Amino acid sequence: QEQVITQVQAAAPAVEENFAQQETGAQSLEAAEVAQVEQQAADMRRKANGMAEAAAHTHALAQQAQRVDASDTMLTSQGQDRERVRVSQPNGRQQVVRSGVGSTPGESPSIGTAGQQPHSHALSSMPAGEDVNLLADTRWLPMSDSEAIVYVHGYKHTRVDIVRRFGQFLAMANLPPSIKPFMFHWPSGRGGASYFPAYSSAMSDPVADDFMRFMYSLRNAGIKSVHFMLHSMGARVFFNAWSRCSHLFVKVRELPGAQKLESLDMLSRRRSSRLPTSVVAEEYDKDDMEEQNGDVARRSIETSLDEASDQLFLSNLILLNPDYEIEVFRDEAAALCCYTPRMTLYVDRRDAALKLAQACTSRARLGYLIEPLVDESGAVIDMDIIDTTDLEANIGGSYHSFWNINRSVVDDIHELVTAENRARYRTSRLISMGGAYRFIQTPSHIIEV
């Protein structure tokens, strides 16, 4: 027994040490578990804080949406009596049009997009007047004596397509900042079999109404001069809407004394505030002015332009491979020439897209016209025809959509828009041949002289 007691006493310190080690390990393990739990709790608190911030932000957005909805309801109730309005036409008649159109399936509403419902909180009624009673966008900052260049795209273009194409042109053209670029987007089809639906869309009333409201918005923003670039079926959109918005433009060729100008190009510079009136007056034939009492004629033009200060000036109408019938254009061109001193047509005899359009409709296309066009009376329509068939650089296989990447065409449009020179003055680049103008360059098949 003494031996057992002695052995137990000898082993007691080791047992106590073992117990101490186990207790220390348990405490360490407990501390680690506590630390892990605390870390998890801290992570959960951070997530909860993030969710609370997101909820607060969502609540703020909901309140803002409620305020916008309230504003929409108020404006809608105020505009119910203007759902159908009358617009005075230049011939004195009045046409009943709707103040809004339905949205296009598959596309969200967007300002500047045709055939879609405009944001009602961004609209306000225009001042009451003889021919003004529509809803138009007033969110744009007002500009003083600015110019606009408006691009209307053709068949089968998405918003990305038109931004890319027109953006490429603007990057190469490097237009002055006084010329503000705009794009008019309309439902133009999405697939290879959508040509005729796009054709109908371009001729539809909703697209024409939106184009008219777009012109009102430009005028309200202080735009004075407008350059139109109409590509392919975009020309059809413009001509279909022109009868609804022509009253917003001044008839420059019918201004008293305008026939005595040597060139209406100088009148356009006066309209866009690029030259003072005194400089324009010097462009008159002095001898003729003396015989016809030139001072009276000068004052007559100045007065007419001042009275038309609330109207837009159509500085350039540029048709790029237009998908439009020649016989229809022939009937409309004479009246259209009264509004603009420069109408320019770019054509290509290799255009495969227009060839297919002609085959589908059995009607000659304006984009194939390479000789002067005469009206019903036999008079030649005042329009510059630019034949691009000789160009080879940066030309696609269809020869239909290279206006924005070919340096010769871009430079020619730049001079047309900025210097406002007719084709007969762009002699460093163009030469007159057979009633049309062609680019001066060596043909691609000539490699040695």
Side-chain angles (χ1 to χ4, degrees), residues 255-258 260-261 267 270 276-286 289-290 292-306:
L255 293 179
K260 295 186 177 300
L261 289 175
L267 180 59
R270 162 65 174 86
T277 306
S278 59
V279 177
V280 178
E282 293 175 0
E283 295 300 315
Y284 285 92
D285 184 350
K286 295 182 180 179
M289 287 287 291
E290 291 177 357
Q292 302 295 332
N293 195 351
D295 291 336
V296 175
R298 184 191 305 113
R299 286 195 299 269
S300 178
I301 285 185
E302 294 175 5
T303 302
S304 300
L305 288 173
D306 291 338

Side-chain angles (χ1 to χ4, degrees), residues 94-115:
Q94 288 189 331
Q95 177 184 5
V96 179
V97 300
R98 295 188 66 85
S99 61
V101 295
S103 60
T104 298
E107 293 187 1
S108 59
S110 173
I111 293 176
T113 299

Side-chain angles (χ1 to χ4, degrees), residues 170-415:
L170 295 174
M172 295 183 65
N174 192 25
L175 299 175
S178 60
I179 301 179
K180 315 299 182 185
F182 295 88
M183 295 167 285
F184 183 78
H185 177 53
W186 57 280
S188 58
R190 294 183 180 273
S194 59
Y195 177 81
F196 287 104
Y199 183 101
S200 300
S201 175
M203 300 293 292
S204 66
D205 289 339
V207 171
D209 289 341
D210 280 350
F211 191 88
M212 175 181 61
R213 280 191 288 269
F214 179 37
M215 293 300 102
Y216 270 112
S217 299
L218 290 180
R219 192 196 67 174
N220 291 348
I223 296 294
K224 296 298 183 183
S225 181
V226 184
H227 310 267
F228 285 104
M229 294 180 60
L230 314 174
H231 178 237
S232 189
M233 202 178 286
R236 191 175 303 279
V237 173
F238 173 84
F239 289 120
N240 181 54
W242 176 248
S243 61
R244 304 180 186 228
C245 59
S246 60
H247 60 285
L248 294 175
F249 293 82
V250 60
K251 287 187 176 182
V252 293
R253 295 180 186 266
E254 295 185 3
L255 293 179
Q259 67 276 11
K260 295 186 177 300
L261 289 175
E262 291 183 354
S263 171
L264 281 172
D265 298 338
M266 296 301 298
L267 180 59
S268 68
R269 292 185 176 91
R270 162 65 174 86
R271 181 61 182 164
S272 58
S273 300
R274 291 189 175 184
L275 293 176
T277 306
S278 59
V279 177
V280 178
E282 293 175 0
E283 295 300 315
Y284 285 92
D285 184 350
K286 295 182 180 179
D287 295 336
D288 186 64
M289 287 287 291
E290 291 177 357
E291 295 176 0
Q292 302 295 332
N293 195 351
D295 291 336
V296 175
R298 184 191 305 113
R299 286 195 299 269
S300 178
I301 285 185
E302 294 175 5
T303 302
S304 300
L305 288 173
D306 291 338
E307 291 176 351
S309 60
D310 61 337
Q311 291 182 291
L312 297 168
F313 172 68
L314 207 172
S315 182
N316 271 295
L317 184 63
I318 305 172
L319 303 168
L320 304 164
N321 304 82
D323 183 4
Y324 199 65
E325 293 78 7
I326 291 180
E327 62 269 23
V328 178
F329 176 78
R330 189 196 312 271
D331 298 335
E332 300 171 345
L336 188 60
C337 286
C338 296
Y339 291 89
T340 178
R342 283 172 302 279
M343 188 158 51
T344 307
L345 171 65
Y346 287 86
V347 301
D348 196 302
R349 288 168 287 174
R350 306 165 296 180
D351 195 323
L354 293 185
K355 184 180 297 185
L356 180 61
Q358 285 190 165
C360 292
T361 60
S362 301
R363 304 180 73 179
R365 288 301 189 264
L366 185 60
Y368 269 144
L369 183 67
I370 57 173
E371 58 186 15
L373 186 66
V374 297
D375 58 20
E376 295 180 349
S377 64
V380 177
I381 296 174
D382 186 16
M383 177 176 62
D384 293 335
I385 302 176
I386 313 298
D387 187 358
T388 64
T389 307
D390 296 330
L391 299 179
E392 295 290 343
N394 296 357
I395 304 297
S398 66
Y399 301 99
H400 185 66
S401 302
F402 59 86
W403 55 270
N404 62 325
I405 57 176
N406 183 271
R407 172 51 65 184
S408 298
V409 178
V410 171
D411 288 346
D412 193 57
I413 296 177
H414 177 276
E415 183 175 352

Side-chain angles (χ1 to χ4, degrees), residues 32-154:
E33 292 178 351
V34 171
Q36 184 179 2
V37 171
E38 291 179 349
Q39 181 64 34
Q40 293 177 352
D43 293 341
M44 292 179 65
R45 283 194 296 270
R46 284 195 295 270
K47 291 180 180 180
N49 292 336
M51 293 176 64
E53 292 178 357
H57 182 63
T58 302
H59 181 67
L61 292 178
Q63 289 182 336
Q64 182 178 2
Q66 290 176 356
R67 289 193 296 268
V68 171
D69 291 340
S71 176
D72 289 350
T73 302
M74 180 182 65
L75 289 177
T76 301
S77 62
Q78 292 177 351
Q80 285 177 349
D81 59 339
R82 293 192 300 271
E83 182 181 3
R84 295 181 64 85
V85 296
R86 294 187 178 272
V87 181
S88 299
Q89 298 297 319
N91 56 11
R93 299 179 179 178
Q94 288 189 331
Q95 177 184 5
V96 179
V97 300
R98 295 188 66 85
S99 61
V101 295
S103 60
T104 298
E107 293 187 1
S108 59
S110 173
I111 293 176
T113 299
Q116 298 179 2
Q117 180 68 33
H119 295 288
S120 57
H121 67 274
L123 304 176
S124 65
S125 67
M126 298 171 56
E130 179 182 356
D131 59 353
V132 190
N133 195 21
L134 288 174
L135 298 180
D137 199 329
T138 58
R139 298 189 305 179
W140 298 343
L141 296 177
M143 295 170 283
S144 177
D145 293 334
S146 294
E147 301 177 58
I149 182 167
V150 178
Y151 167 56
V152 184
H153 64 86

